[in-house]
Amino acid sequence: MKKLAYAVMAHDDPIHLNKIINALNYNADFYIHIDLKSDIKSFHDLIDRENVFFIKDRVSVAWAGITMVDALMNLIKDVLKSGNDYSHVVFKTGTCYPIKNVQNIYRELTSNPEKEYINFIDMKDSPEHYSKLVYQKWFREPLFNYQGKFLKTIDRGLRFLLNQLKLKNYWNEEIVPYTGHTWCAITMNCCEYIYNYHENNPWFREMNKFTMAADEHYFHTIIGNSKFKDFSQGKSEYKGRGLYQYTSIYLIDKSLTKWYDLNDWEEISNSDKFFVRKISSKTGSSLIDKINTEILGVSEKIS
């Protein structure tokens, strides 16, 4: 019986991360990247399981920067190095939670061993995505390794000014740019293909280095320009801006910033998605308790 590998990126809220692991702990292993800026000790102190692996090659992640991709690649690297033949690798954040019975999620994925649970749009169908996300340079990563608050403020100011220049970013016209929701579930063969493509084609990372939110088109572009496109959920019809419309297995609010709580129960219970994003231990504990009892079938609170 094949397992699932959950590849998780987290930076805070170890309490909620522990609840995610406890909820999803059915024929699964967990590979976790903790942002280098965060104190990993608080996670180690709370989460101690044989099937939980905190990866050592950690990255200081910048929102919408290329370091998001670097962290994801480090997760894939450790999953591949494990030597385990997982059915799928499910990419998650530390703010997600299952909203379908976990055994049903497992059966859905493992009964479709060649299916890639990822979809995307062709950026050329969306002038805003095409011109702004890949053809303009965005300076999301710190320019210098400053430690002091004053110097960090200067760095942010410099990057703001550079962004105002709207410098042109090079994109190889032979590569069709696809974009979609970062968090997906893909097979081991697809993971291996993505990782090898990334390693053997350093120009591809360089081409994406200054794009906006590279994590929302890096995997998608590699898959969309490969044989794995035929096994994915495929190219979606462009419906306008907002990646909440193009998620594969995640429910996310159209604002992309909303934190779900008990007031959102109807939306969550009626969703056909596997997971919801975002929930925190501070504002979502009552919602999690209700999900556990009414969807996951757990009679006791998951700590």
Side-chain angles (χ1 to χ4, degrees):
M1 184 178 293
K2 286 191 175 183
K3 287 184 174 183
L4 300 178
Y6 287 98
V8 186
M9 283 182 60
H11 67 277
D12 64 1
D13 205 349
I15 293 173
H16 183 65
L17 180 59
N18 192 47
K19 289 182 178 181
I20 294 172
I21 293 169
N22 288 336
L24 291 173
N25 194 28
Y26 177 78
N27 287 338
D29 290 332
F30 300 85
Y31 295 81
I32 302 175
H33 176 278
I34 302 299
D35 193 302
L36 190 59
K37 297 186 292 295
S38 303
D39 177 16
I40 199 170
K41 186 177 184 300
S42 61
F43 293 88
H44 279 305
D45 289 346
L46 187 62
I47 303 168
D48 183 18
R49 287 180 176 271
E50 290 184 355
N51 61 335
V52 175
F53 309 100
F54 290 94
I55 72 171
K56 295 180 180 179
D57 197 358
R58 297 162 60 200
V59 177
S60 179
V61 176
W63 181 83
I66 193 65
T67 45
M68 282 282 294
V69 172
D70 295 337
L72 289 168
M73 287 299 171
N74 288 346
L75 281 165
I76 290 179
K77 178 175 66 176
D78 274 32
V79 172
L80 294 175
K81 281 173 57 180
S82 73
N84 294 320
D85 185 21
Y86 297 109
S87 171
H88 287 76
V89 181
V90 185
F91 294 90
K92 302 180 65 60
T93 72
T95 62
C96 302
Y97 206 74
I99 55 174
K100 286 288 179 283
N101 179 280
V102 173
Q103 292 186 26
N104 290 343
I105 293 174
Y106 173 83
R107 282 193 288 268
E108 165 65 25
L109 294 175
T110 56
S111 63
N112 292 281
E114 295 184 344
K115 184 174 180 179
E116 312 301 341
Y117 291 80
I118 184 171
N119 56 8
F120 33 76
I121 59 170
D122 185 338
M123 286 196 201
K124 292 181 179 179
D125 294 338
S126 166
E128 289 193 28
H129 283 97
Y130 195 47
S131 61
K132 292 184 178 180
L133 298 189
V134 298
Y135 272 98
Q136 179 181 330
K137 282 193 174 184
W138 295 91
F139 294 84
R140 302 301 309 170
E141 302 287 345
L143 300 173
F144 307 100
N145 189 23
Y146 291 140
Q147 297 300 320
K149 184 176 180 181
F150 176 70
L151 293 176
K152 286 183 178 180
T153 301
I154 291 177
D155 187 281
R156 283 194 296 268
L158 287 172
R159 285 187 282 125
F160 174 80
L161 293 174
L162 286 169
N163 288 333
Q164 300 309 302
L165 295 176
K166 298 182 178 180
L167 301 174
K168 185 177 180 180
N169 184 59
Y170 166 76
W171 187 268
N172 185 338
E173 295 294 341
E174 295 182 0
I175 304 295
V176 179
Y178 292 102
T179 187
H181 195 233
T182 303
W183 314 104
C184 58
I186 55 180
T187 63
M188 285 290 281
N189 286 339
C190 188
C191 278
E192 186 174 16
Y193 179 83
I194 289 171
Y195 185 75
N196 288 339
Y197 189 93
H198 170 80
E199 288 292 299
N200 296 329
N201 298 280
W203 60 266
F204 186 75
R205 182 190 182 279
E206 190 65 25
M207 185 173 72
N208 281 275
K209 184 177 180 180
F210 292 103
T211 59
M212 170 62 81
D215 58 292
E216 293 177 352
H217 51 260
Y218 204 89
F219 286 10
H220 310 75
T221 299
I222 294 175
I223 292 172
N225 288 273
S226 77
K227 65 180 182 180
F228 290 97
K229 180 182 179 181
D230 294 336
F231 298 94
S232 73
Q233 292 172 308
K235 177 178 172 290
S236 298
E237 180 183 351
Y238 179 62
K239 304 173 185 177
R241 289 201 65 183
L243 290 183
Y244 69 94
Q245 302 175 92
Y246 311 109
T247 64
S248 53
I249 54 177
Y250 284 86
L251 170 66
I252 184 169
D253 186 70
K254 63 182 179 180
S255 70
L256 306 183
T257 60
K258 174 182 175 177
W259 291 86
Y260 282 84
D261 59 30
L262 192 56
N263 295 319
D264 303 300
W265 171 250
E266 185 175 354
E267 179 184 1
I268 286 172
S269 60
N270 290 330
S271 175
D272 62 353
K273 303 298 185 181
F274 294 173
F275 308 101
V276 62
R277 182 174 183 266
K278 309 174 175 179
I279 301 180
S280 77
S281 61
K282 293 181 180 179
T283 60
S285 290
S286 296
L287 173 59
I288 290 171
D289 290 342
K290 193 172 181 69
I291 291 171
N292 290 342
T293 56
E294 299 202 18
I295 295 179
L296 305 189
V298 179
S299 57
E300 298 180 358
K301 287 187 177 181
I302 295 179
S303 59

